[in-house]
Amino acid sequence: MNSVDELKLPARLYGLRMGGLALLGALLAGVCAMALGAGAIRIPVLDVLAGVNSGLESTVFFQIRAPRVLLAGVVGATLAVAGASLQGLFRNPLADPGLIGVSSGGALGAVSMIVMAPALAGAGAAYALPLSAIAGSLAVTAFLYAFASRFGHFSIVTILLVGIALNALANVGIGLFQYLSDDAALRTLTFWMMGSFGSAAWTTVLPAVALMAMAAVPLLRQGRELDLLQLGEPEAFHLGVDVRRTKRRVILCSAVTVGAGVAVSGIIAFIGLVVPHLTRLAIGPNHRYLLAGSALLGAALAMLADTVARTLATPAEIPVSLITSALGAPFFLWLISRVRPK
C-alpha cells in the first residue's frame, strides 16, 4: 500500500462510519414516526403536527403516545450505551446490564421503595423510584467490579457466574417484597417486572429522562478511554488514561442510566447485549462511533419493540421484555457459540 492509499484509508473509514451513523439516525426517525402513529387509534403524524386532527387524536398523541415513545427511546438508548460501556470496561463481549445483575439490582431497589414506602411512592415516585433503583444498580455494579478484580482480569466465565449469583440474590429480595404485597400491588409488580412503557406520563417521564440523559452524556464521551482500555489497564495508563477515574465514571453512569430506566419501565432484557454487537457489525469497534451508534439503534429497537407489544394483541398489551427476549435469547446463544471462554 503506497502513501496515497494510507492517507485515503482513514478518510474512507471516517466516511463509512459517519454514513453508518446517518443510516441509523434515519432508521430511528422512521421508527419514531411509525411508533407515534401506530396503535389502537391510528394517528397521522403529519396531520397532528399541522394541526389538522380531532381533539381525541391530539389528546392521545400528546398526552399518551408522545411520552411513551420518548420514554421507550431514551430507555433503549441508555441501556444500549450502558451495555457498550460495560463491555468496553470489562473487556467482555457478554457484559450486559440484565445478564450481570445490574437491572435486577435496580428492580430490587425500586420494588423495595414501592412496597415499603407506598405514600412516598405515590407522592414522590418521580424522584424516589429512580433514586432507589439507581442505588440498587450501583451496589450490584460496584460489587461485580470489585469481585471480578480479585482475579486480575474480567474473564467471561467470572462475569457470567457472578452475574448469575447476583441475579439470584436480587430475585430473592424481589420475591420477598412480592410476598409482602397485597393482591393489587402484586399484579402491578409482576407486570412491571416483565417490562412495560404503559405507565408513561410526563410527570414521571421527564425526571427519569433527565437522570438518564445526565448520566449517558459522560458515557458518550468515554470513547477514547474505552478504546485504550482494550489494550489493558497498564498500557492505557501509560498512554495517558486515568484508569481509576474512568472506571468510577463508567460504573456510576451505567448504574444511573440502568437504575432510572428500570424504575420507570421495569426490566427490558437484552437491549444492552444485542445492540452494541449489531452496531459493531455496522460501523466497527471504535467506541467513539460505537457509543453514538448504539444510542441510535437502541432507541429504535426499544420503540419498535414497544410498538409491537401494544399493537400485536390490541386491545391487550404484551410485556415489552417478551419481545426483546424473543430477539435477544437466540442472539445470545449465537454469541456464546462464537466466544471462547477464558
Side-chain angles (χ1 to χ4, degrees):
M1 181 181 294
N2 57 40
S3 59
V4 175
D5 291 334
E6 291 176 353
L7 291 175
K8 289 181 178 179
L9 183 58
R12 187 178 305 149
L13 286 175
Y14 176 78
L16 289 173
R17 288 166 177 165
M18 293 305 295
L21 289 177
L23 288 175
L24 292 176
L27 173 65
L28 174 59
V31 171
C32 182
M34 181 200 66
L36 287 170
I41 299 177
R42 298 193 64 83
I43 300 176
V45 177
L46 294 180
D47 288 351
V48 173
L49 297 179
V52 184
N53 58 279
S54 67
L56 175 61
E57 289 178 341
S58 179
T59 300
V60 171
F61 185 88
F62 288 107
Q63 299 302 321
I64 298 176
R65 202 162 291 171
R68 179 166 184 158
V69 172
L70 173 63
L71 179 63
V74 174
V75 169
T78 53
L79 282 177
V81 171
S85 300
L86 291 174
Q87 289 172 13
L89 177 66
F90 291 122
R91 302 189 294 280
N92 189 317
L94 300 183
D96 168 72
L99 293 176
I100 62 179
V102 180
S103 294
S104 294
L108 176 59
V111 168
S112 66
M113 179 60 63
I114 292 172
V115 175
M116 301 300 292
L120 180 60
Y127 301 97
L129 283 180
L131 291 176
S132 60
I134 288 166
S137 295
L138 180 59
V140 170
T141 309
F143 177 82
L144 177 67
Y145 190 92
F147 191 92
S149 296
R150 296 181 56 190
F151 297 93
H153 63 286
F154 303 104
S155 72
I156 293 171
V157 173
T158 299
I159 295 296
L160 288 181
L161 291 180
V162 175
I164 290 171
L166 292 176
N167 270 314
L169 290 173
N171 287 332
V172 170
I174 292 171
L176 178 61
F177 284 117
Q178 288 177 327
Y179 177 77
L180 297 174
S181 304
D182 56 30
D183 290 341
L186 180 60
R187 181 176 177 82
T188 301
L189 288 176
T190 300
F191 189 79
W192 175 78
M193 287 293 298
M194 300 176 73
S196 173
F197 301 110
S199 61
W202 290 120
T203 54
T204 56
V205 166
L206 293 180
V209 166
L211 283 173
M212 288 184 280
M214 287 189 296
V217 169
L219 287 178
L220 291 170
R221 300 175 63 182
Q222 297 302 302
R224 175 181 176 273
E225 288 79 3
L226 291 173
D227 279 337
L228 293 177
L229 279 174
Q230 307 314 299
L231 303 174
E233 292 185 9
E235 291 79 3
F237 175 77
H238 289 298
L239 290 172
V241 176
D242 189 333
V243 176
R244 182 172 298 179
R245 185 176 65 181
T246 299
K247 291 177 184 177
R248 288 198 300 262
R249 183 173 298 171
V250 171
I251 288 174
L252 176 61
C253 292
S254 297
V256 170
T257 58
V258 174
V262 166
V264 291
S265 64
I267 298 178
I268 309 298
F270 286 108
I271 287 182
L273 174 70
V274 172
V275 170
H277 287 283
L278 293 178
T279 308
R280 287 189 187 94
L281 294 176
I283 59 177
N286 187 304
H287 281 84
R288 177 184 176 185
Y289 305 96
L290 174 63
L291 295 173
S294 294
L296 295 173
L297 184 57
L301 181 60
M303 288 180 186
L304 181 60
D306 180 56
T307 303
V308 172
R310 59 186 168 84
T311 58
L312 191 61
T314 304
E317 181 175 320
I318 301 172
V320 176
S321 197
L322 296 184
I323 307 297
T324 57
S325 295
L327 170 67
F331 184 89
F332 182 50
L333 293 174
W334 173 81
L335 188 61
I336 289 177
S337 70
R338 293 177 56 89
V339 177
R340 179 180 300 176
K342 298 179 180 179

